[in-house]
Amino acid sequence: MPRMPRRDAPGAHHHVTLRGVARCDIFVDDTDRRFLLDRIEVVSAECSLALLALAFMSNHVHLVTRTGPVPLARFMARIETAYAMHFNRRHGRVGHLFQNRYNATPIKDDAHLRNSIRYVHVNPLEAGVVGDLEELERYLWCGHGILMGNRTSALLDVRSALAPFADSVPEARVALGEFMRDWKRARECEPEDEAAPRRIPQLEAELERVCAEFGIAPALVTGGSRRRTACNAREVIARRAHLLGLRASEVALRLGVAHASILRAAKRARSTS
C-alpha cells in the first residue's frame, strides 16, 4: 500500500517520534547522545527548522518541531542517516538502526502545542530516569531545563516554545512550571497520535497492577526498557492478558513488543493453566 503524503507546509508544527528497530536501544552512552544532539542542532539550523522540545529515551527520541523552508522529511533523513552511520561504525554494527520511518503527528493549535511540549519533556520523569522536576531541569538529554532558563543553548527556539504559555518569557516560565508540576495528569492530555495503542481498561488495569507488584513505573514496561524487572513484568502482563481473552496484537502494541512475543507468552500461559 503506498504511503500517504505528509502534511508538512512551512510553519507546521509536529510531534516527531523516532524509534529503534525492534525497540532496540539507540544509545550506548553519552557520547552517542552528544553526537545526535550536536547533529540535530547543526542540521536544524541549516534547514531553518525550529525545535521546541526534545527528549532522548533509551530506544527512541521525541521532538517537537516547526518546519521551515526545508521539508521535515529531508531534515529527518539527514539526522537518521548521519546518526545510524555513527552508531554502526562506533559499535561495530550493521543494518538498520531505526524502525521504519519516523512518526510525525501534526499539532493543531496552542493547547495541543502546550500538551505536546509537556508530553515530550515529562518522558524521562515518568520513566524514572530522573527523580523529580528539579532534576529534570538539570538533565542534559531533555529540553525542559533550556525552556526554564537553567541552561543556555541554541538548540531550542525558546521564545516560540514559551509563546503558548504567556506573552512574556518570565510569565511563560512560571506558567510552564505550573503546567509541568501537573505532570501526573499528562497522560490524560497527551497529543493525539494515530499510531498510539488503543487503551483497553482491562489491559491498563493489569499494567498498573503488575507494575505496582514489581515496584516499577509503567513507562519502563511500555517504553522498551531491557531491565530484567521490566522484561519480567511484560511477561506477566502478557500471560494475564491472554487469560483475560485480550487480542495479542493489541497487547503487543501497548507493551511495545513483537506480536510473536505475546503469542509465545500465551502459549506458556496455556501450558501452565
Side-chain angles (χ1 to χ4, degrees):
M1 180 181 292
R3 290 171 173 166
M4 297 298 289
R6 296 184 182 277
R7 291 167 285 180
D8 188 21
H13 291 82
H14 289 89
H15 170 204
V16 180
T17 309
L18 184 63
R19 297 187 179 277
V21 65
R23 301 278 178 167
C24 74
D25 287 349
I26 58 174
F27 302 108
V28 171
D29 53 27
D30 285 350
T31 298
D32 289 337
R33 295 181 182 89
R34 174 54 61 187
F35 180 93
L36 182 57
L37 199 70
D38 290 345
R39 187 64 183 165
I40 289 174
E41 183 171 355
V42 169
V43 178
S44 62
E46 292 176 352
C47 294
S48 298
L49 176 140
L51 197 65
L52 278 62
L54 169 146
F56 289 176
M57 304 302 290
S58 61
N59 65 356
H60 63 283
V61 170
H62 288 283
L63 307 172
V64 174
T65 65
R66 184 182 69 240
T67 307
V70 177
L72 177 63
R74 193 179 305 171
F75 165 79
M76 291 302 298
R78 291 183 61 184
I79 296 298
E80 293 176 47
T81 300
Y83 184 71
M85 290 176 63
H86 154 85
F87 188 89
N88 286 356
R89 182 172 57 248
R90 183 168 185 251
H91 301 294
R93 184 185 179 279
V94 295
H96 294 291
L97 178 62
F98 296 112
Q99 176 182 299
N100 300 320
R101 66 177 181 174
Y102 64 93
N103 182 67
T105 302
I107 294 174
K108 304 170 185 177
D109 50 33
D110 280 354
H112 195 175
L113 181 56
R114 287 193 297 270
N115 289 330
S116 297
I117 290 171
R118 177 171 67 176
Y119 175 81
V120 167
H121 285 167
V122 83
N123 264 257
L125 180 58
E126 188 174 25
V129 178
V130 298
D132 53 31
L133 282 170
E134 185 176 337
E135 188 177 353
L136 183 67
E137 291 185 14
R138 300 192 300 270
Y139 187 57
L140 295 178
W141 316 116
C142 173
H144 180 58
I146 298 173
L147 297 188
M148 294 301 291
N150 290 349
R151 304 199 316 272
T152 301
S153 173
L155 180 67
L156 298 188
D157 183 340
V158 174
R159 286 190 174 276
S160 294
L162 292 177
F165 293 93
D167 292 334
S168 72
V169 169
E171 290 175 340
R173 282 179 170 148
V174 171
L176 173 59
E178 293 175 353
F179 195 60
M180 288 292 289
R181 279 191 286 276
D182 197 23
W183 70 271
K184 289 186 178 180
R185 290 185 58 252
R187 281 299 184 190
E188 300 172 11
C189 305
E190 66 187 35
E192 296 177 7
D193 187 340
E194 295 174 0
R198 188 165 64 94
R199 302 302 173 94
I200 304 168
Q202 289 174 298
L203 181 56
E204 293 302 308
E206 285 302 323
L207 174 62
E208 294 290 340
R209 187 176 297 114
V210 172
C211 287
E213 292 172 6
F214 280 80
I216 58 177
L220 282 177
V221 174
T222 60
S225 171
R226 293 186 176 183
R227 295 183 189 178
R228 183 177 296 276
T229 51
C231 294
N232 290 343
R234 277 192 288 269
E235 171 73 14
V236 172
I237 294 167
R239 292 190 185 192
R240 292 183 184 178
H242 166 72
L243 297 175
L244 289 169
L246 301 179
R247 292 175 57 186
S249 59
E250 292 184 318
V251 177
L253 186 59
R254 183 67 181 101
L255 298 185
V257 299
H259 186 210
S261 298
I262 302 301
L263 294 179
R264 287 193 294 269
K267 183 177 180 180
R268 289 190 288 271
R270 287 193 296 270
S271 67
T272 56
S273 60

